[in-house]
Amino acid sequence: MNRHPKKAKKQRRTVRPWTYDRAKAALPYLRSVVRSVRDHRLQVQGHDLRATRLAERSGRPDCEALIARAEAARAADRAQEAFDDALHELNRLDVYCLDPISGLAFIPFLHKDQLAWFLFDLFGENLLDSWRYHEDPLEIRRPISEVAAPPSEAPLSV
């Protein structure tokens, strides 16, 4: 008999680690999805702000004000759904958005048998130029050259 029927069980989720080559190859798609996440989040904030400002106007609202507030709320809901869909697409790929406005996302990989993260930066110079271990503080950014596979040298023909 379950003594705590209303307590939700913690769900464990298996994260598929990426390789550097796979992450590099997926950069154009990831850029598109992270940009969509950012754009939709900004739209949600804009519509919410407009609805809040309309609601906070002094005096009794007229018919136009009520309609404008309802339209702003509906637009915010539509933008929130689009944001959630784009975020779900990232999560389906096992890429996790750290900060949608800044365009930061984490891509999991294994380094020396430890969980680590490639840091995808939408506004960074190379999109994928740093990484960190899972236990590292969020501010830590290690150079990607430490984990990137060096280009293989072709054998010299003599």
Side-chain angles (χ1 to χ4, degrees):
M1 181 172 168
N2 190 356
R3 296 195 182 273
H4 306 286
K6 294 191 179 197
K7 287 189 176 180
K9 291 182 181 180
K10 289 186 179 180
Q11 291 182 348
R12 296 191 69 153
R13 189 173 186 301
T14 304
V15 176
R16 294 175 309 229
W18 288 57
T19 62
Y20 177 73
D21 291 336
R22 181 174 166 227
K24 194 128 169 103
L27 285 179
Y29 182 69
L30 293 175
R31 176 191 301 135
S32 172
V33 177
V34 171
R35 179 164 288 146
S36 291
V37 167
R38 180 179 189 276
D39 290 345
H40 294 309
R41 186 69 202 142
L42 289 171
Q43 288 174 357
V44 169
Q45 287 180 339
H47 293 302
D48 281 342
L49 180 62
R50 183 167 184 263
T52 301
R53 286 181 177 165
L54 288 168
E56 291 175 348
R57 282 187 175 170
S58 62
R60 185 174 177 186
D62 61 357
C63 186
E64 285 183 22
L66 291 172
I67 291 171
R69 186 180 351 164
E71 286 176 359
R74 280 194 300 274
D77 289 343
R78 285 191 304 271
Q80 183 66 46
E81 284 181 24
F83 170 77
D84 292 340
D85 289 345
L87 199 58
H88 178 71
E89 177 64 17
L90 277 182
N91 291 341
R92 191 178 65 75
L93 297 169
D94 287 325
V95 175
Y96 303 95
C97 189
L98 178 67
D99 184 352
I101 302 298
S102 298
L104 294 176
F106 282 180
I107 304 169
F109 73 102
L110 291 175
H111 184 62
K112 297 181 181 176
D113 293 328
Q114 292 185 43
L115 177 61
W117 303 92
F118 293 120
L119 300 176
F120 176 92
D121 186 353
L122 185 61
F123 300 107
E125 191 172 312
N126 296 322
L127 296 178
L128 198 64
D129 58 1
S130 59
W131 69 282
R132 61 181 289 273
Y133 282 112
H134 184 70
E135 294 83 20
D136 286 346
L138 289 175
E139 302 82 37
I140 297 293
R141 290 187 176 221
R142 300 171 189 263
I144 199 75
S145 59
E146 293 177 4
V147 294
S152 60
E153 294 182 13
L156 296 174
S157 49
V158 181

